[in-house]
Amino acid sequence: MDSEALRKFSALHPKPAGLSLQYGTAGFRSKAEQLDHVVFRMGLLALLRSKAVTATIGIMVTASHNPEEDNGVKLVDPLGEMLHPSWEEYATQLANAEEQELQKVITEICQKAAVNLHKDASVFIGRDTRPSSKKLSQSVIDGIQVLGGQYHDYGLVTTPQLHYMVCCQNTQGQYGKATLEGYYEKLSKAFMELIKQSHCSGECQRHLKIDCANGIGALKLSEMKPYFPQEVLIHIYNDGTKEKLNHLCGADFVKVHQKPPGGLDMKPNERCCSFDGDADRIVYYYKDTAGHFHLIDGDKIATLISIFLKELLAKVKQNFKMAVVQTAYANGNSTRYLQETLKVPVHCVKTGVKHLHHKAQEFDVGVYFEANGHGTVLFSKAAETKIRQLVKEEKDSEKREAAKMLENMMDLINQTVGDAISDMLVIEAILALKGLTVQQWDALYADLPNRLLKVQVADRRVIDTTDAERRALTPPGLQEKIDALVKKYKLSRAFVRPSGTEDVVRIYAEADTQENADALAHEVSLAVFHLAGGKGEPPQP
């Protein structure tokens, strides 16, 4: 390692005094002007990680659904998955090291993680459309060049596209070609193969209005348009030419505020969807003839996909294990419908994509979605091999056709991470094949009314949870109090969990009516305020 070069470059990306940041599920996020030293150092770390695992590592400059003035950076592991938890700690150490300690921290990481600095290394870089992203990705390149590594800068891409490229590269092209064209071709081919089998003649056009959050999704969807069949008519709104990224639009806005985004004109019963700022989340929605807004969130997306996959799996008659993975935020009625009506096993894990992804890997077919619209489907190696074999060798035509559809679903789904473009095509294909309208999909089950609240506390660490965050272990007496409150209402449940990023406690409650869900959430927030060291005034109803 060239200490002189490290010192010189590090001085060009100085760390602001007293700033301390934490690498979380979404990597680092902060105001863009605070991140220059962080992204430079993540360039260094990506290279060390690449040397440690002898594979290409990805680095994405984005802050997803955060406001435009924020930015962030996250690393992508060899198969397109999130950075290994032990390296999240190294990332935090490196980002917060003082200038003069930088070399020492790098040496320590190399020792702990058995990094051989003489090995080759390569990094793929991507960025979103924020005004600050280009300069920050240049700082990443500085970090890579100090340690003398190879890199490929993909420029403007969605987060899932970068995950896809990294996986393609490290599977020597087995997962696909590590180019944008390769991504567009693989997805569009699988999509066309699927909708060919929908019972619908040439004039059956499928209109879809898409709110792209004024982000990268608009650019990439426009590039992909020529690859779509004529029957699919996508109309792009909030394309970033007029308004600010994520401002009053995008999947997060629609989900949190339960209302349509600005900049999109909705007519009754039109199918609409929203991507988030880096296009890794999607939610659908429509307005009925009475003008009421209906949100179709990640839970209902997981349900639609599960219905379709379960039917196909039944037809191929293999003993595949299928399950749906949710978090405690999943609507209680979605869990009931999956378990009782569909008879699909449901597993609940802690909040955070990495926990869902990890659990879904335990099954032949693992469907996971967070209620916010981030999710995908994972197929085990054994299931994938068997399905592709049935397509080639199965004599029974019904079995073979079902296997063919499963094969196209596997190719259409981005198995590395939630991907709004891929998920949108999966949903559109299923609705076409099953002849479902958006209203029929919505009517599978009715969501239980719910309410999300947050309470500011002096220290979020006073709350410790268990049972996938559904029960509080500390402070003493809090869980007993919640249990007593829940008993007062029908079809009710409530849980509290500390935020991963700020000193607040998040509260979720659901019940048979909106009035009861609101009342329960308020009563639980008061209990948290009094028992867990609330700050300021007690919560008002």
Side-chain angles (χ1 to χ4, degrees), residues 24-45:
T25 303
F28 290 107
R29 285 204 191 154
S30 186
K31 291 274 169 271
E33 61 272 13
Q34 296 183 330
L35 285 170
D36 185 57
H37 71 293
V38 174
V39 292
F40 165 70
R41 293 169 182 201
M42 288 309 101
L44 299 170
L45 192 77

Side-chain angles (χ1 to χ4, degrees), residues 25 327-330 348-355 370 372 452-457 459-475 478-479 482 493-509 524 528 532:
T25 303
T327 70
Y329 287 110
C348 184
V349 297
K350 279 164 66 169
T351 306
V353 177
K354 60 184 172 192
H355 302 297
E370 290 187 291
N372 65 24
L452 281 160
L453 293 176
K454 54 185 183 183
V455 175
Q456 285 213 307
V457 291
D459 181 3
R460 66 179 184 269
R461 289 170 301 192
V462 298
I463 301 244
D464 190 22
T465 63
T466 184
D467 186 25
E469 301 176 315
R470 289 177 288 192
R471 298 190 67 76
L473 291 170
T474 61
L478 178 61
Q479 188 57 53
I482 294 171
R493 69 183 180 103
F495 67 89
V496 302
R497 55 179 286 271
S499 159
T501 49
E502 48 187 335
D503 279 321
V504 300
V505 175
R506 300 192 188 281
I507 290 150
Y508 177 88
V524 171
V528 168

Side-chain angles (χ1 to χ4, degrees), residues 286-351:
Y286 68 98
K287 256 188 187 155
D288 61 25
T289 40
H292 295 300
F293 175 77
H294 296 255
L295 174 73
I296 300 178
D297 65 6
D299 299 335
K300 246 176 204 164
I301 294 172
T303 305
L304 178 73
I305 293 172
S306 300
I307 291 171
F308 186 68
L309 290 176
K310 191 172 185 229
E311 286 171 4
L312 292 178
L313 292 171
K315 285 180 185 164
V316 295
K317 298 185 171 61
Q318 297 296 314
N319 220 349
F320 291 141
K321 271 172 67 182
M322 175 179 165
V324 176
V325 187
Q326 297 182 324
T327 70
Y329 287 110
N331 195 278
N333 276 354
S334 76
T335 313
R336 271 187 205 95
Y337 181 86
L338 287 162
Q339 286 176 325
E340 293 165 18
T341 308
L342 261 193
K343 305 273 187 281
V344 170
V346 177
H347 297 266
C348 184
V349 297
K350 279 164 66 169
T351 306

Side-chain angles (χ1 to χ4, degrees), residues 120-400:
D120 287 343
S122 85
V123 179
F124 282 0
I125 308 165
R127 66 173 194 270
D128 71 9
T129 54
R130 291 165 196 271
S132 58
S133 291
K134 190 164 172 55
K135 186 173 173 296
L136 289 174
S137 74
Q138 191 49 56
S139 303
V140 170
I141 293 171
D142 282 357
I144 294 167
Q145 288 183 322
V146 170
L147 292 181
Q150 300 290 313
Y151 68 90
H152 181 81
D153 184 4
Y154 281 94
L156 292 164
V157 287
T158 70
T159 296
Q161 284 175 335
L162 186 76
H163 283 254
Y164 176 92
M165 307 295 181
V166 171
C167 184
C168 291
Q169 180 69 12
N170 290 315
T171 55
Q172 284 70 52
Q174 276 179 299
Y175 192 65
K177 284 209 294 264
T179 62
L180 278 172
E181 292 71 37
Y183 172 92
Y184 298 142
E185 279 163 10
K186 180 180 173 182
L187 267 63
S188 58
K189 180 171 173 283
F191 178 69
M192 307 238 274
E193 287 293 320
L194 274 169
I195 61 164
K196 259 205 291 218
Q197 319 201 309
S198 68
H199 307 291
C200 148
S201 55
E203 70 275 6
C204 176
Q205 289 188 324
R206 303 194 58 78
H207 287 270
L208 175 66
K209 289 185 169 179
I210 307 166
D211 151 36
C212 289
N214 290 310
I216 185 72
L219 278 181
K220 300 296 131 180
L221 261 185
S222 306
E223 284 177 12
M224 197 174 179
K225 257 187 170 176
Y227 294 84
F228 290 144
Q230 275 116 11
E231 307 86 61
V232 178
L233 294 170
I234 59 169
H235 308 278
I236 297 173
Y237 295 83
N238 297 325
D239 64 0
T241 52
K242 296 184 205 60
E243 294 289 335
K244 275 172 75 166
L245 176 70
N246 295 326
H247 182 60
L248 304 179
C249 61
D252 200 60
F253 173 84
V254 173
K255 169 76 180 151
V256 171
H257 296 280
Q258 306 268 329
K259 65 179 187 187
L264 187 148
D265 165 41
M266 281 172 81
K267 297 193 175 53
N269 296 333
E270 278 185 333
R271 247 189 359 277
C272 305
C273 68
S274 284
F275 292 3
D276 72 333
D278 64 340
D280 66 356
R281 294 186 190 180
I282 184 170
V283 294
Y284 270 69
Y285 45 91
Y286 68 98
K287 256 188 187 155
D288 61 25
T289 40
H292 295 300
F293 175 77
H294 296 255
L295 174 73
I296 300 178
D297 65 6
D299 299 335
K300 246 176 204 164
I301 294 172
T303 305
L304 178 73
I305 293 172
S306 300
I307 291 171
F308 186 68
L309 290 176
K310 191 172 185 229
E311 286 171 4
L312 292 178
L313 292 171
K315 285 180 185 164
V316 295
K317 298 185 171 61
Q318 297 296 314
N319 220 349
F320 291 141
K321 271 172 67 182
M322 175 179 165
V324 176
V325 187
Q326 297 182 324
T327 70
Y329 287 110
N331 195 278
N333 276 354
S334 76
T335 313
R336 271 187 205 95
Y337 181 86
L338 287 162
Q339 286 176 325
E340 293 165 18
T341 308
L342 261 193
K343 305 273 187 281
V344 170
V346 177
H347 297 266
C348 184
V349 297
K350 279 164 66 169
T351 306
V353 177
K354 60 184 172 192
H355 302 297
L356 291 135
H357 194 90
H358 190 68
K359 187 71 184 174
Q361 287 173 321
E362 294 176 19
F363 309 98
D364 290 311
V365 181
V367 180
Y368 76 81
F369 269 84
E370 290 187 291
N372 65 24
H374 186 286
T376 187
V377 184
L378 305 183
F379 292 85
S380 70
K381 208 76 209 112
E384 182 177 340
T385 308
K386 187 70 199 166
I387 289 164
R388 297 205 195 271
Q389 185 193 342
L390 287 170
V391 173
K392 288 197 184 82
E393 299 168 12
E394 180 55 56
K395 302 284 183 281
D396 176 331
S397 65
E398 193 194 15
K399 261 194 194 176
R400 194 177 58 246

